[in-house]
Amino acid sequence: MIKLSINGSEYQLDVAPDTPLLWAIRDHAKLTGTKFGCGSALCGACTVHLDGQPIRSCSTPVSIAEGKNVTTIEGIGETKEGQVIQEVWDDVVQCGYCQSGQIMSAAALLKGNPNPSDTDIDNAMTGNVCRCNTYHRVRKGIHAAAKKLS
C-alpha cells in the first residue's frame, strides 16, 4: 500500500511502488483532471505539484510522492495563484487538453516569481506542449494573472 496526500486528502492505494504517479492519481484516486499526453515527460499534460514544485506525473514513480504533498488541477484552486490563474484563463483555452498542465506550471511560476518577464514565462512553460499553438495566449494569461496578484 502506498499512502498519498493529494489535494489535502489522504489516500491508501494498492499500487506497485513503480506505478507512475499519473495512474495512481487518475485510476486509483479517481482524480481525472490530470491528463495523459505522451508518457515520456515531454508534453506537460500530466503536470502536478509535488511539495509545491511542478513535476511530470507520467514518469514519476508513485513511491517518490509518498510522504509528500501532491496537488493536482482539482486542488490548485485552493492556492492564491491557482484561483487567479483560473479566473483569467478563459481567453487562453482552445481545445483545452493541455490546460491542466499549463495551469499547474503557471501557478508554480507565479508562486516563485510574481512578476515574470516574457523570458521567465517561456522558460517556466518550456515542455508544456499545446497542439493548438496558444502559446501567446498562455503568456498573456500569465501576465494578466500576475497583474491581478500584485
Side-chain angles (χ1 to χ4, degrees), residues 6-126:
I6 306 173
N7 301 328
S9 295
E10 300 300 319
Y11 293 83
Q12 277 197 307
L13 306 178
D14 188 13
V15 297
D18 62 345
T19 300
L21 178 59
L22 172 66
W23 301 120
I25 291 167
R26 287 184 59 81
D27 293 347
H28 297 275
K30 304 297 184 198
L31 299 169
T32 58
T34 303
K35 304 300 182 199
F36 173 78
C38 66
S40 300
L42 299 172
C43 74
C46 68
T47 302
V48 299
H49 293 180
L50 188 61
D51 282 345
Q53 296 301 310
I55 62 154
R56 304 301 194 243
S57 63
C58 72
S59 64
T60 301
V62 70
S63 59
I64 300 260
E66 194 165 25
K68 298 178 181 169
N69 295 312
V70 178
T71 305
T72 68
I73 190 68
E74 290 90 348
I76 199 65
E78 300 300 317
T79 68
K80 178 174 62 169
E81 296 80 14
Q83 289 171 1
V84 171
I85 290 167
Q86 289 176 336
E87 287 173 16
V88 302
W89 214 252
D90 285 346
D91 293 335
V92 173
V93 178
Q94 188 161 327
C95 85
Y97 195 82
C98 69
Q99 294 309 298
S100 63
Q102 298 277 4
I103 289 169
M104 296 302 291
S105 293
L109 167 64
L110 291 174
K111 185 171 179 84
N113 182 351
N115 190 22
S117 66
D118 285 349
T119 301
D120 295 333
I121 292 170
D122 293 346
N123 290 336
M125 302 307 286
T126 296

